[in-house]
Amino acid sequence: MVSIEIDAFTRVEGNGGAEVIIENGEVKDVKVKIFEGPRFFELLTLGRYYWDVPDLEARICAICYLSHSVASVLGIERAFGVKVSKEIELLRELGLLGELLESNALHLYLLVAPDLFGYSDAIRMATKHGEIVKEGLAIKAFGNYIREIIGGREIHGINVKPGGFGRYPTVEELERMERQSEALLRLARRGVGIFAGQEALGAKPVHYIAVNGYLYGDKLIASDKDTFDYFEHIEEKALSYSFAKQSRYKGEIFMVGALPRVLLKSEMLTPMAKHLYEEYKEKLAQGYVSLNNLAQAIELVYALERTKEITRELLDKGIDGENVPIEPQEGEGIGYVEAPRGVLIHHYKIDEKGNIAYSNIITPTAFNHAIMELSLYEEAKRRYGTSDESTFLQKLEETVRAFDPCISCSVHVVRL
Amino acid sequence: MMLKLGVFELTDCGGCALNILFLYEKLFDLLEFYEIKEFHMASSFKEHDTLDVALVTGTVSTQRDLNLLHYARNHSKYLIALGTCATHGDVQASVEGKIREKLEKVYGTKANPMRALDSTPIVQHVAVDYALPGCPYDKDEIYQILMNLAKGVEPPTKDYPVCIECKLNEYECVLIKRGTPCLGPITLGGCNAVCIKSKVGCIGCRGPLPKEANPAGEFEILKELGYGEEYIRRKFKTFARGELRW
Ligand code: SF4
Ligand code: SF4
């Protein structure tokens, strides 16, 4: 038995690698190893006053901190039975759109594009294809601008609060968002053409899972048309070779992320994004995990169009800036959010004083751990012996990258 | 002569490494002086070489982290502990308990095949040439520091509390006027008091102010406002557990 080690995936967030096990000249198994150290977020929040918790949970991941803040706030509000206004709902959605723009653009233009153009990174790629890198950066910077206004900072802002916000955006800020989303649409449309070109890599998942609303909701949906709470059908298990656990849906491997979102929720897309979805429908339906990149590119168009819709609606109506008062009481609640990489769950039980008594957080990369491993296995099997070693390794890395894995967030899977 | 730069990420949220990419065009300005030899979040390029400057983010939370940290230290002339994880331990170091107990609670077993350690800041393990806290740090600050180093100047260290920047921005004091718990008076400034702009209290993410801070005074103020001692203590040590001053 021999094995090929990928010491550390590059151009992914966090620390992880893989081991491809070869027996009698054949790929026998692949292990995806997450060796980023555990950070014990659920232990960190136990006993803490609810108000302080979203700010701490944000630190799980920088690329999608706002998804964590929102999921945390939703879980807390549901535990208390708090209902917020339409305005607050729209502003939260706006924040999540900013995050989708920032994260998808980072992934596509800085991490994936160098593979398509044959460079080791976007900085080196910029010498020949500067305009593409710059376009991606422009979209990403706009996403960050929205995160800064809604979330309070580009990274780890503390403006998203149970019951509302610390500070509400001004008319000028909303107008600027409306203008910029319009201006960037053309670039995002061009991006769809660029990322549609990637070859099929990895496995085809048996199931896709997403949240019932496009960016957040109160239940999960699956490709077999079920609507459910995560603990009904999803099971996790710990592994000896990884700090991240693996999950199964009704005992089978599934995927979360942009591809599941556009496939399961195409009817919720905005006009231009829907049009693009129709154009690539057959391709997307092939289901290979690398099509996640194309789905992310379509989502950039969606996010810009939706940002325009929301800012217009808020500008027409005017901002009230009213928070909903909260009286802590004993309760249990789950927040379901679509982080850019897929389904994110924050589940809490809170005691009568408002302190966290139980907390369970499941992140998209943990959900995707099993399908990632299967994808590497299938890709390795297809290629072993037919491509040279550097292509072999390159394609395995590309397969992993398609998941846009965010490894630091995958290691907090726990049930207490 | 181009300076050789490496970015090393130990266990963390990725924010301090990501923040470098958020420099946008300023990143390209830096690249006129620096050549990136290692930055695994952003590049597949890697060259084992002696570095002029190493930026290290995160806490030492596994044996692998520790090895990587020693590698970075042994291969660089100037090492910067970047972000509160690296300088003070950040949130993960504030989780109570021994590693085996924590592993048991989370993974259901005391076995530790991946060699996890209790999280500690890197400054506890190696000598650093510069420590820049912040969760994350202010990105203009790292830009200035790297520019200074490129010009052969030792970068200055900040030594004033968040309150100063709050006053400069003319924000209303949330601690006195609203009774919101705010750690601004005892937290190192440099973030432009960004959280007070959002009308919420500083949670201390840049770590304690090293010199004249008066944590005992802050403790009394919060107690008078009606916050429990345990609550205040936890708040104080969230980002800087290892720090004796808090
Ligand atoms: S200091 Fe904060 S932003 Fe930086 S890596 Fe640590 S948790 Fe992330
Ligand atoms: S105000 Fe406090 S919590 Fe906010 S960024 Fe500054 S130091 Fe961190």
Side-chain angles (χ1 to χ4, degrees):
Chain A
M1 195 185 87
V2 287
S3 61
I4 304 173
E5 285 277 347
I6 301 182
D7 292 343
F9 300 133
T10 58
R11 278 186 278 137
V12 300
E13 199 288 310
N15 298 311
E19 184 184 0
V20 182
I21 298 155
I22 316 276
E23 230 176 74
N24 305 325
E26 241 184 78
V27 174
K28 185 88 186 128
D29 198 9
V30 174
K31 290 191 166 114
V32 170
K33 301 175 176 178
I34 303 294
F35 38 70
E36 176 96 19
R39 291 167 74 219
F40 302 111
F41 268 84
E42 289 88 348
L43 297 177
L44 172 73
T45 49
L46 278 189
R48 292 250 179 190
Y49 193 54
Y50 78 93
W51 183 260
D52 297 330
V53 169
D55 306 335
L56 301 181
E57 307 282 36
R59 265 105 188 151
I60 292 174
C61 172
I63 302 183
C64 63
Y65 90 84
L66 206 130
S67 300
H68 283 281
S69 316
V70 173
S72 180
V73 159
L74 292 177
I76 290 166
E77 286 174 356
R78 281 183 190 139
F80 294 153
V82 169
K83 176 103 183 68
V84 299
S85 63
K86 181 80 193 295
E87 173 179 301
I88 293 172
E89 284 182 356
L90 286 174
L91 286 170
R92 282 179 186 160
E93 189 182 343
L94 192 58
L96 292 171
L97 289 163
E99 189 146 280
L100 197 74
L101 288 166
E102 172 269 327
S103 182
N104 284 13
L106 167 78
H107 180 243
L108 291 172
Y109 291 86
L110 295 186
L111 310 182
V112 173
D115 287 330
L116 301 183
F117 293 88
Y119 291 87
S120 57
D121 55 54
I123 295 161
R124 287 171 178 87
M125 176 177 149
T127 52
K128 282 253 171 58
H129 303 278
E131 77 299 345
I132 294 174
V133 176
K134 289 223 170 85
E135 288 180 14
L137 285 176
I139 298 173
K140 188 167 116 70
F142 177 54
N144 259 350
Y145 174 70
I146 301 179
R147 290 214 298 187
E148 194 179 331
I149 299 302
I150 305 293
R153 259 208 295 180
E154 284 186 338
I155 298 175
H156 301 336
I158 61 178
N159 193 39
V160 176
K161 290 291 177 194
F165 295 91
R167 167 191 176 275
Y168 284 76
T170 62
V171 168
E172 293 71 40
E173 286 162 352
L174 290 172
E175 281 173 349
R176 177 169 165 195
M177 286 182 206
E178 189 190 22
R179 273 198 315 275
Q180 291 205 0
S181 50
E182 171 76 49
L184 289 168
L185 259 176
R186 195 180 49 81
L187 308 188
R189 274 191 77 150
R190 208 163 92 85
V192 174
I194 299 174
F195 295 100
Q198 214 198 9
E199 65 187 304
L201 295 168
K204 193 180 156 131
V206 187
H207 298 280
Y208 298 108
I209 290 182
V211 173
N212 59 354
Y214 201 86
L215 287 181
Y216 69 90
D218 51 13
K219 289 278 180 194
L220 294 178
I221 51 173
S223 36
D224 60 7
K225 301 278 179 275
D226 243 358
T227 301
F228 62 103
D229 269 312
Y230 80 96
F231 49 80
E232 293 175 68
H233 298 309
I234 294 179
E235 279 183 359
E236 297 174 89
K237 71 165 194 231
L239 305 165
S240 62
Y241 57 87
S242 178
F243 281 125
K245 293 184 187 177
Q246 285 196 353
S247 310
R248 298 278 188 284
Y249 166 70
K250 297 181 178 172
E252 293 180 302
I253 291 181
F254 64 95
M255 178 184 182
V256 299
L259 181 62
R261 278 196 293 264
V262 300
L263 289 173
L264 295 177
K265 298 184 272 198
S266 59
E267 78 289 351
M268 293 183 208
L269 293 173
T270 44
M272 199 188 289
K274 198 169 192 162
H275 182 81
L276 289 163
Y277 169 77
E278 294 293 336
E279 193 178 329
Y280 290 104
K281 200 170 163 180
E282 278 171 31
K283 188 170 178 129
L284 289 163
Q286 291 169 2
Y288 293 103
V289 298
S290 57
L291 290 162
N292 201 44
N293 293 331
L294 172 58
Q296 281 191 341
I298 294 175
E299 281 192 335
L300 289 179
V301 174
Y302 165 77
L304 291 167
E305 282 184 294
R306 184 73 188 131
T307 297
K308 224 174 80 173
E309 285 175 8
I310 292 180
T311 45
R312 188 46 20 219
E313 190 175 338
L314 290 169
L315 284 164
D316 286 344
K317 185 190 73 59
I319 294 272
D320 293 332
E322 289 291 328
N323 282 1
V324 180
I326 292 184
E327 283 299 325
Q329 51 172 283
E330 195 179 333
E332 176 174 1
I334 307 176
Y336 290 104
V337 164
E338 288 281 356
R341 295 163 182 77
V343 176
L344 168 67
I345 294 170
H346 281 232
H347 181 180
Y348 305 111
K349 286 179 194 158
I350 307 182
D351 69 17
E352 70 291 345
K353 293 207 195 89
N355 295 323
I356 303 292
Y358 163 100
S359 123
N360 185 26
I361 297 165
I362 311 184
T363 62
T365 301
F367 280 137
N368 278 337
H369 194 193
I371 180 71
M372 200 189 296
E373 210 167 68
L374 179 68
S375 286
L376 280 182
Y377 173 70
E378 294 197 357
E379 198 55 38
K381 242 179 133 63
R382 252 193 307 267
R383 295 197 182 261
Y384 187 70
T386 57
S387 37
D388 61 80
E389 181 160 328
S390 82
T391 316
F392 179 77
L393 291 175
Q394 163 76 16
K395 292 296 163 191
L396 292 192
E397 278 224 44
E398 279 181 39
T399 307
V400 166
R401 223 169 269 137
F403 289 96
D404 190 3
C406 188
I407 290 171
S408 29
C409 90
S410 69
V411 298
H412 314 111
V413 206
V414 51
R415 210 163 276 180
L416 289 177
Chain B
M1 254 291 280
M2 295 286 270
L3 294 170
K4 294 172 187 159
L5 179 76
V7 181
F8 298 86
E9 210 193 317
L10 313 183
T11 293
D12 62 19
C13 82
C16 286
L18 187 67
N19 216 14
I20 296 169
L21 298 178
F22 286 178
L23 281 168
Y24 304 115
E25 27 339 308
K26 281 188 169 169
L27 179 61
F28 290 95
D29 292 347
L30 280 177
L31 292 174
E32 308 207 345
F33 300 95
Y34 289 92
E35 204 183 328
I36 297 181
K37 293 288 183 185
E38 155 86 47
F39 188 173
H40 97 265
M41 179 196 273
S43 175
S44 304
F45 182 81
K46 188 179 197 150
E47 206 169 76
H48 295 274
D49 206 340
T50 304
L51 301 165
D52 294 291
V53 181
L55 308 178
V56 187
T57 78
T59 52
V60 173
S61 302
T62 59
Q63 185 59 42
R64 179 182 178 276
D65 287 338
L66 192 57
N67 298 346
L68 191 61
L69 173 60
H70 282 135
Y71 176 87
R73 178 68 278 184
N74 294 336
H75 287 79
S76 62
K77 292 189 198 131
Y78 198 93
L79 188 144
I80 300 178
L82 191 57
T84 306
C85 284
T87 59
H88 297 83
D90 212 88
V91 292
Q92 65 259 33
S94 76
V95 180
E96 310 266 351
K98 285 269 152 267
I99 188 67
R100 279 178 190 282
E101 295 160 20
K102 290 187 270 191
L103 286 171
E104 188 173 20
K105 281 190 191 139
V106 174
Y107 300 95
T109 162
K110 286 189 186 204
N112 190 357
M114 308 274 293
R115 304 174 80 193
L117 307 171
D118 284 311
S119 295
T120 41
I122 71 166
V123 294
Q124 272 185 25
H125 299 273
V126 297
V128 305
D129 300 291
Y130 196 90
L132 175 59
C135 181
Y137 56 89
D138 187 286
K139 60 184 180 182
D140 285 328
E141 227 179 321
I142 191 67
Y143 175 79
Q144 289 303 340
I145 289 169
L146 289 174
M147 278 303 188
N148 273 321
L149 289 176
K151 301 195 171 109
V153 182
E154 178 67 21
T157 304
K158 297 219 163 90
D159 60 355
Y160 51 83
V162 171
C163 287
I164 299 278
E165 288 169 334
C166 196
K167 299 277 174 316
L168 287 174
N169 283 296
E170 297 182 10
Y171 298 143
E172 181 185 69
C173 179
V174 295
L175 182 65
I176 305 301
K177 292 275 169 59
R178 295 170 164 235
T180 307
C182 178
L183 301 188
I186 54 170
T187 300
L188 178 68
C191 59
N192 205 18
V194 61
C195 297
I196 295 89
K197 181 183 180 189
S198 290
K199 304 192 181 86
V200 290
C202 168
I203 60 176
C205 85
R206 288 179 57 91
L209 179 68
K211 281 185 208 117
E212 301 108 57
N214 181 1
E218 171 90 14
F219 202 94
E220 286 311 311
I221 295 176
L222 292 177
K223 251 171 70 178
E224 271 164 38
L225 287 171
Y227 297 97
E229 292 194 7
E230 174 57 23
Y231 175 81
I232 304 170
R233 234 175 252 122
R234 272 198 160 190
K235 219 174 170 60
F236 275 25
K237 66 183 193 188
T238 300
F239 289 93
R241 177 152 195 252
E243 203 69 22
L244 290 173
R245 296 194 151 266
W246 280 21

